[in-house]
Amino acid sequence: GDSVTQKQGQVTLSEDDFLFINCTYSTTTYPTLLWYVQYLGQGPQLLLKVTTANNKGISRGFEATYDKGTTSFHLQKASVQESDSAVYFCALVSSGSWQLIFGSGTQLTVMP
Amino acid sequence: GALVYQYPRRTICKSGTSMRMECQAVGFQATSVAWYRQSPQKTFELIALSTVNSAIKYEQNFTQEKFPISHPNLSFSSMTVLNAYLEDRGLYLCGARDRTYEQYFGPGTRLTVL
């Protein structure tokens, strides 16, 4: 079945550091790939999504490229802020489906 | 904009008792509502998908007898956790989907079972 893998359980950075969160996926379909962010005490919020392979999604300084060759959708940000501290979930939706398949999440902590 | 409200935000119940949680979509029509449980380790489990005027589809390990769901219209859904036990604790999330298949999440109902 479809799956999403996030290798990093926790990432700790200082303000203005570069962020890279690893995400790889496995599916036999043509998925939509998404990143959700979950702040403390809240539900997941859509950060960005990409529906077409080799395209890039950009939102609030975050970006991720749908790389069909490496089946990856890594999240990056050039300069993180303390307010970016949250849990980040990579997810996919298979074509023709509604179901979100989530990765295990990466807790980002940004120190002031 | 599209918002999803869930209440209560937190609830505590005694082992063996039941509790009901509600989900309301505002600013869009929730053609489908997915109920998830997020564990303390942050992993998501899909409980069921409810589509208005269609049968509710439960995932493996979740049943209607344990998690009955009501979805009477395009803005409201409720789910009850019957005979709650320790393993039922977690954050219950409602993901409401509009006609464009965009899924919006509520803040969740955190269930603690004593």
Side-chain angles (χ1 to χ4, degrees), chain A residues 38 41 43-44 46 49 98, chain B residues 9 38 46 49 97 102 105-106:
Chain A
Q38 186 175 21
L46 181 63
K49 72 174 182 181
W98 57 269
Chain B
R9 292 291 304 275
Q38 188 176 30
L46 176 65
L49 174 70
R97 190 182 68 162
E102 191 75 39
F105 285 92

Side-chain angles (χ1 to χ4, degrees), chain A residues 21-81:
Chain A
I21 298 180
N22 185 288
C23 171
T24 56
Y25 66 91
S26 174
T27 179
T28 58
T29 68
Y30 300 95
T32 292
L33 299 176
L34 312 96
W35 277 99
Y36 281 86
V37 57
Q38 186 175 21
Y39 298 101
L40 190 64
Q42 299 182 25
Q45 300 172 20
L46 181 63
L47 179 59
L48 56 86
K49 72 174 182 181
V50 180
T51 58
T52 307
N54 302 321
N55 281 5
K56 179 189 290 187
I58 300 174
S59 174
R60 299 189 244 164
F62 292 88
E63 63 178 57
T65 300
Y66 182 157
D67 190 329
K68 192 179 175 189
T70 59
T71 62
S72 66
F73 192 55
H74 308 313
L75 183 69
Q76 302 181 59
K77 188 178 185 184
S79 176
V80 293
Q81 303 303 307

